[in-house]
Amino acid sequence: MKLDALEALKVTRSNANKRFPNEEDPRFVGDLLFPSLKPKFLLNAPARVFTIGSCFARNIELALADHDGIELPTSAFSVPESEWEFRPNGLLNEYNPGTISQRILSAVGSEDEPEETIVKTRDGFIDLLLPGGSPVTFERAVERRSEIRGIYESLVSSDLVIITLGLVEAWFDEEIELFLNRMPTRQDLRSQPDRYSFHRLGVSDALPLLDRAFGGLVEAGVERVLLTVSPVPLGTTFSGGDVVVANSFSKSVLRVCAEELSQKYPQVDYFPSYEMVSSGGLGAFNPDNIHVRDAVVRRVTGHMLDAYFPNLVSDSGTNGHAPDDANVARSGA
């Protein structure tokens, strides 16, 4: 952005939220900050909402599921607990810009993922394009990919696509030239050191990957994309140094990418869930300091619903908070 001097003064004079909020500011609610929003688009329920991204995308999904007017195609996916012991549809998680881009481009282009990324272990086969899961038979891994492709058939026809960017550290398959959603086994890393590499993506790496995917969505006819950055930090870093510093770099890169994409595409709007949750400090997180408290997710999602779904009454009240939930970020209630 570049403004001439007089235009900058004019913009500042007309901006009611130009100063960082103190405790008297209406944007400060129950130890969290709720930035003012100017949505690029509005939606009416009922609406189909497709969620893509990190585990925080699943958190948003669960909060949206409380509302009868929201249809969530991704909630229809599940696997047996023997394959994945966490949320039934958690295998849909996409963490880094590379796999998010690949997943979207595959969906809009109807391309199958190469079977070479289903690799054999001592106990069965694992899918390196999924975020985890126990070993299964090769046939089951192929079948599961088909089930996921079936879920993504609803992507283009959805009224809103919410994409949550997670992290910038990723493993890469040099032979197939694809980003991976999980680390290969240590045995494979040792036996095939030239096949796999680790990447810490900068803006110059991540932005072109995401730009191709968002361009593909728009070209396929998607008219509304809500882009967020997950507040969930890196659990482990492979880049060296302290994970706290690595996480700050990761979120900064993703936040810049989100800004660039929302400026480029009229169909893309940025929703500041990262800023809202982060404003509460570690009090907004569970004791592991990684996962966001469910009550905080509900408040943040309520703020989103209030802004983008004017005919849908959220259970969060004004500014995304319930009257009896004012101090949940600190109390953990």
Side-chain angles (χ1 to χ4, degrees), residues 16-226:
N17 300 302
K18 61 181 175 285
R19 299 189 184 281
F20 203 81
N22 58 27
E23 293 189 358
E24 303 301 320
D25 195 293
R27 291 170 290 164
F28 178 78
V29 184
D31 293 343
L32 291 179
L33 299 179
F34 291 89
S36 60
L37 303 175
K38 296 180 180 179
K40 286 186 179 180
F41 47 76
L42 299 176
L43 299 98
N44 290 319
R48 176 183 293 169
V49 178
F50 201 101
T51 56
I52 302 174
S54 71
C55 56
F56 193 70
R58 305 279 80 79
N59 291 340
I60 293 176
E61 185 181 78
L62 285 175
L64 291 174
D66 292 336
H67 302 277
D68 293 335
I70 304 296
E71 177 191 349
L72 298 161
T74 51
S75 64
F77 177 79
S78 66
V79 296
E81 190 173 346
S82 60
E83 296 182 15
W84 176 259
E85 60 181 328
F86 306 106
R87 288 175 180 166
N89 66 347
L91 281 182
L92 295 178
N93 290 354
E94 303 284 350
Y95 290 99
N96 65 76
T99 60
I100 290 174
S101 178
Q102 290 165 188
R103 181 68 69 184
I104 291 172
L105 291 174
S106 175
V108 299
S110 301
E111 296 181 5
D112 293 341
E113 299 84 0
E115 292 184 352
E116 290 86 347
T117 47
I118 299 174
V119 298
K120 187 176 182 179
T121 69
R122 289 176 298 181
D123 302 315
F125 291 83
I126 61 172
D127 190 339
L128 296 179
L129 297 183
L130 298 182
S134 303
V136 296
T137 65
F138 182 81
E139 292 74 19
R140 171 55 187 155
V142 172
E143 177 187 48
R144 195 167 52 194
R145 284 188 171 184
S146 178
E147 293 171 359
I148 293 175
R149 282 195 296 274
I151 293 296
Y152 270 80
E153 289 178 357
S154 298
L155 174 61
V156 173
S157 62
S158 293
D159 301 293
L160 174 66
V161 178
I162 300 178
I163 300 177
T164 303
L165 307 178
L167 46 84
V168 299
E169 297 195 3
W171 292 91
F172 188 78
D173 189 322
E174 298 286 350
E175 290 184 4
I176 307 173
E177 296 186 339
L178 284 180
F179 284 94
L180 306 176
N181 211 14
R182 65 184 292 178
M183 185 181 78
T185 66
R186 294 182 184 274
Q187 179 181 351
D188 283 347
L189 291 176
R190 293 189 180 99
S191 63
Q192 304 178 75
D194 294 331
R195 176 175 176 178
Y196 301 109
S197 59
F198 168 80
H199 292 232
R200 186 180 78 160
L201 304 175
V203 173
S204 61
D205 308 302
L207 185 55
L209 289 168
L210 293 168
D211 191 19
R212 285 195 292 272
F214 279 67
L217 279 175
V218 171
E219 186 176 345
V222 173
E223 297 180 352
R224 303 176 191 87
V225 179
L226 200 56

Side-chain angles (χ1 to χ4, degrees), residues 37-39 41-43 271 301-310:
L37 303 175
K38 296 180 180 179
F41 47 76
L42 299 176
L43 299 98
F271 177 71
T301 309
H303 193 53
M304 179 182 72
L305 291 175
D306 291 342
Y308 290 89
F309 289 85

